[in-house]
Amino acid sequence: MANRWTAEFRLSITRALADQLATTLAPLEAAPLTPEHISTVMPRPGVYVLFLDGERVYVGKAARSLQDRLSQHYQKISGRSGIDLNDVRFVCVYVDEDLDAAAPEKLLIKKYRAHDSIPWNTNGFGNKDPGRNRDTSLVKKVHFDATYPIDLGYRLSLEPGSQPVAAALEVAKRELPYLLRFDNGVAAKKIYRDTTVSIPDEPMVATDLIEHLIRALPHGWQLTALPGYLIMYAEDREYASALAWWKRNSTGVTRTEGPGHFAAGRVEPEDSGSESGEPA
């Protein structure tokens, strides 16, 4: 029975944790997302916030190393069109491993969403490789990859000279700031080993490498630039959301501009990755 001289008290540990995290983050000065500033972050677990043009856009967690996780974000954003790394900043807080089970980043997301939209937590920014079965899916118009597609003019530093396609592919995977996925079947691997590609002694961008790789491969191979990554298979297929694709035919290499079709609606949870990003 309620009266004026009694009350019920409930202690919310999770709300207290969210409030303390937000209080710790609030006075921090956001640093540019650059290798120089990331190198000052210790390789410890923690939570972090990314800002774009001063707006809070992403809250994430690193289960092992904040430095590694922020470096992954730097690499990803550096290979995107329509966004300037100079406009991206971060703050972070080291968190004891004992608090990891409490999902501190999710508590922060819930708290911040009372005032901010934190758009990158629900637009697929944290995604990695969606897998071969998702390559043909229409990308949502609001997806991170649709808003900031991969930069096909990204500059590369490759060792000039003739080399097996297999070697060139491994170097390309390390050099490119976005995913390059290719057929890893037994027959395909033999083609990569037995086929030679000639890398010229001159500055190259991603599209140059694409054309050299496809030109070196047999008739029927195709390399497709999807909004968020590259794929290479022996196929003849159109991708509705593709930026472009390069096809090896009997006369050489043909480039076809992609339709650039995108789907309406929000990014589904399975397309947006964990709201806090993958642990690092």
Side-chain angles (χ1 to χ4, degrees), residues 77-234:
I77 297 171
S78 70
R80 297 296 173 136
S81 300
I83 187 170
D84 189 339
L85 265 171
N86 293 322
D87 298 328
V88 183
R89 292 176 172 262
F90 75 94
V91 293
C92 62
V93 171
Y94 304 112
V95 175
D96 290 338
E97 294 182 18
D98 293 343
L99 292 178
D100 186 61
E105 78 290 353
K106 292 185 178 180
L107 300 177
L108 273 176
I109 290 170
K110 183 177 180 181
K111 180 177 180 63
Y112 286 148
R113 278 199 177 138
H115 308 285
D116 302 327
S117 61
I118 323 178
W120 291 7
N121 277 99
T122 53
N123 75 351
F125 171 70
N127 279 10
K128 292 190 176 179
D129 187 354
R132 180 63 170 152
N133 291 336
R134 303 298 297 274
D135 291 343
T136 56
S137 299
L138 268 179
V139 176
K140 295 295 177 63
K141 187 177 181 179
V142 296
H143 198 285
F144 182 86
D145 293 343
T147 307
Y148 308 110
I150 58 175
D151 180 10
L152 295 175
Y154 185 83
R155 293 187 176 276
L156 300 170
S157 298
L158 302 177
E159 189 71 25
S162 295
Q163 55 189 285
V165 168
L169 286 173
E170 290 305 313
V171 173
K173 284 177 64 176
R174 293 196 302 268
E175 287 276 333
L176 288 168
Y178 37 79
L179 172 71
L180 167 60
R181 181 179 2 102
F182 43 84
D183 189 346
N184 262 321
V186 174
K189 286 182 177 179
K190 185 177 188 306
I191 292 174
Y192 304 153
R193 291 194 303 268
D194 296 344
T195 306
T196 300
V197 59
S198 182
I199 303 298
D201 187 8
E202 59 187 38
M204 292 183 66
V205 296
T207 50
D208 297 326
L209 175 62
I210 289 170
E211 292 194 12
H212 284 294
L213 286 172
I214 287 297
R215 192 175 301 278
L217 290 170
H219 174 82
W221 279 80
Q222 177 176 321
L223 198 154
T224 303
L226 295 169
Y229 53 99
L230 302 174
I231 56 173
M232 189 177 76
Y233 294 91

Side-chain angles (χ1 to χ4, degrees), residues 26-42:
L28 298 180
E29 180 181 347
L33 189 68
T34 62
E36 178 185 5
H37 289 87
I38 293 172
S39 68
T40 67
V41 177
M42 289 186 284

